[in-house]
Amino acid sequence: MTRGGRMSYEGVAVAVPVTVPYVRYSTHNAHWFIGQALHALLDASHLAKQQIDGLTVSSFSLAPDTAVGVTQHMGLSPRWLDHIPTGGASGVMALRRAARAVQAGDADIVACVAADTNHVDSFRLTLGSFSQFARDASYPYGSGGPNSIFAFITANYMRTYGATREDFGRIAVAQRANALNNPNALFKKPLTLDEYMGARPIAEPIHLFDCVMPCAGAEAFLVMREPKARELGLPHALVRGAIERHNAYADDPIFVRGGWRVDRDELYAQADATPADVDFVQTYDDYPVIVMTQFEDLGFCDKGSGPAFVRAQTLTHDGTFPNNTSGGQLSVGQAGAAGGFLGMTEAIRQLTGQAGARAVKDAKLGLVTGFGMVTYDRCLCTGAVILGTAP
């Protein structure tokens, strides 16, 4: 069946959202966190390891191994395998590829796993090998790392569209309120707008609470055909639509719009929905400016009206526009590539009655985004998935 001009994702289920609790630093390696995630998937689903016949893996700290090395470490023997090194876009991409694999019969049950460790020197080592383009553009000037890059992008957005730090603060403060209902969140204290505004500068106009905190942990979920999920008795959500795009708007001097804008009409057509039908959004949130950009590019408001949009909405789980109901990376933490899976596991929980005190009332349709692989002046990978409740 086609929908939105391409083969639909009808009949594909996502289930068993797993989070390996985050820690600020760890002496365990990425393999350990992947193993913990796989163990949790099997435990929650009551599957035997041999029933997992598909695997996707995303990690920045797994090297020199890739997904195939994981199969040996974990004693798996999948007939379908994918390694997805796209960071914040990896959750959406893992789901899309796994969905096509089960539709084609290449696998029956695919485990999608993302994990990273974080120790004293791991973040510096990751940054050093992240992007040759970024190194060439910034190292000669004594700069490096994402804070200065996103300061550049944020300042440009503020000049272009009139956003203020208070506008970005509304996003961060709302997400912290959501995180207080998430036992997996590393940030446990409320955050006020005054505290956000008074935080120390990192790279103007970026201040402390604009930045995600690196940590260690894992996220995972299972993908299968809907009849299989019913057979196994697993609470599940259904894939209603999915898109991805790479190196969109390459002619823009600085990032102000992403690939979501190119393909959003197809996304909503696949789901037979409009932006107004979406009950919650899980935006990739390495910095607030990227969240605001997504509100625009996904069609919730016009380009440049993101600041007015966040002033008019309440972004908490019980508000007028629930966004990042887990707290997002800004308040849960960024466990490397697992940050690209955080929105997916949270959306599955919301649509299967597993979100607890942060549940969005009567949620039927959720949108999850991905955004990854920052270079000097933009990120290259974007994607989005619409998930719906099962009948």
Side-chain angles (χ1 to χ4, degrees):
M1 179 179 179
T2 59
R3 184 175 293 164
R6 297 183 183 176
M7 180 180 174
S8 78
Y9 293 87
E10 186 172 357
V12 177
V14 288
V16 195
V18 161
T19 299
V20 178
Y22 291 8
V23 292
R24 183 70 175 93
Y25 295 105
S26 178
T27 56
H28 294 300
N29 61 15
H31 299 76
W32 186 89
F33 284 99
I34 292 171
Q36 293 296 303
L38 287 168
H39 184 277
L41 286 174
L42 296 174
D43 188 57
S45 64
H46 304 293
L47 291 169
K49 184 164 59 173
Q50 293 74 19
Q51 291 175 274
I52 303 293
D53 61 350
L55 176 69
T56 76
V57 176
S58 182
S59 176
F60 289 125
S61 54
L62 188 63
D65 280 324
T66 63
V68 70
V70 170
T71 66
Q72 183 180 30
H73 278 268
M74 305 302 161
L76 297 169
S77 184
R79 59 193 178 104
W80 183 88
L81 181 70
D82 202 2
H83 181 78
I84 305 177
T86 54
S90 60
V92 170
M93 293 172 63
L95 177 55
R96 292 187 78 235
R97 284 150 176 72
R100 294 308 192 203
V102 300
Q103 283 184 320
D106 291 336
D108 292 324
I109 301 174
V110 180
C112 299
V113 184
D116 270 301
T117 190
N118 187 54
H119 54 74
V120 173
D121 209 32
S122 63
F123 190 65
R124 181 187 65 82
L125 294 173
T126 297
L127 294 177
S129 60
F130 195 81
S131 164
Q132 186 63 51
F133 190 99
R135 287 197 296 192
D136 289 347
S138 59
Y139 277 22
Y141 303 98
S143 179
N147 290 327
S148 60
I149 290 172
F150 280 95
F152 180 45
I153 292 171
T154 300
N156 177 70
Y157 183 94
M158 294 172 75
R159 287 192 300 269
T160 304
Y161 298 118
T164 66
R165 285 195 60 232
E166 288 91 341
D167 297 327
F168 298 131
R170 289 180 173 89
I171 295 171
V173 168
Q175 291 191 196
R176 179 64 61 86
N178 290 335
L180 298 180
N181 290 309
N182 182 358
N184 292 317
L186 288 181
F187 290 86
K188 305 296 187 183
K189 294 174 58 178
L191 176 66
T192 68
L193 188 58
D194 285 344
E195 288 170 330
Y196 169 91
M197 293 298 295
R200 62 184 174 88
I202 303 298
E204 287 289 359
I206 297 293
H207 286 232
L208 182 63
F209 296 117
D210 295 305
C211 308
V212 293
M213 185 176 75
C215 60
E219 303 281 343
F221 54 88
L222 296 179
V223 179
M224 63 196 75
R225 295 297 300 268
E226 183 185 10
K228 175 63 73 172
R230 290 199 303 268
E231 173 192 326
L232 295 170
L234 297 176
H236 58 278
L238 298 178
V239 182
R240 296 281 300 274
I243 56 171
E244 71 178 77
R245 178 71 59 167
H246 306 280
N247 197 31
Y249 301 112
D251 292 337
D252 286 359
I254 305 171
F255 174 88
V256 291
R257 51 184 177 165
W260 312 282
R261 192 175 182 87
V262 179
D263 300 302
R264 71 187 185 195
D265 290 345
E266 179 182 326
L267 175 69
Y268 292 119
Q270 288 177 21
D272 192 23
T274 69
D277 297 319
V278 173
D279 296 307
F280 63 81
V281 182
Q282 312 292 348
T283 53
Y284 188 79
D285 63 319
D286 46 359
Y287 294 83
V289 67
I290 302 306
V291 175
M292 191 175 289
T293 300
Q294 289 172 83
F295 292 162
E296 299 168 346
D297 289 352
L298 290 163
F300 297 107
C301 59
D302 293 332
K303 176 54 65 180
S305 63
F309 182 79
V310 300
R311 293 168 200 158
Q313 302 290 342
T314 306
L315 305 178
T316 52
H317 70 90
D318 55 353
T320 58
F321 190 82
N323 173 65
N324 284 334
T325 53
S326 68
Q329 296 176 95
L330 288 171
S331 282
V332 176
Q334 185 185 63
F341 278 54
L342 179 61
M344 199 72 71
T345 55
E346 175 67 10
I348 299 168
R349 291 184 176 111
Q350 287 286 347
L351 296 170
T352 56
Q354 301 177 66
R358 63 186 186 278
V360 176
K361 186 179 180 181
D362 299 325
K364 299 289 191 296
L365 208 64
L367 194 157
V368 185
T369 70
F371 184 61
M373 309 317 290
V374 59
T375 58
Y376 175 59
D377 52 2
R378 69 197 67 238
C379 277
L380 299 180
C381 306
T382 55
V385 173
I386 292 178
L387 300 178
T389 52

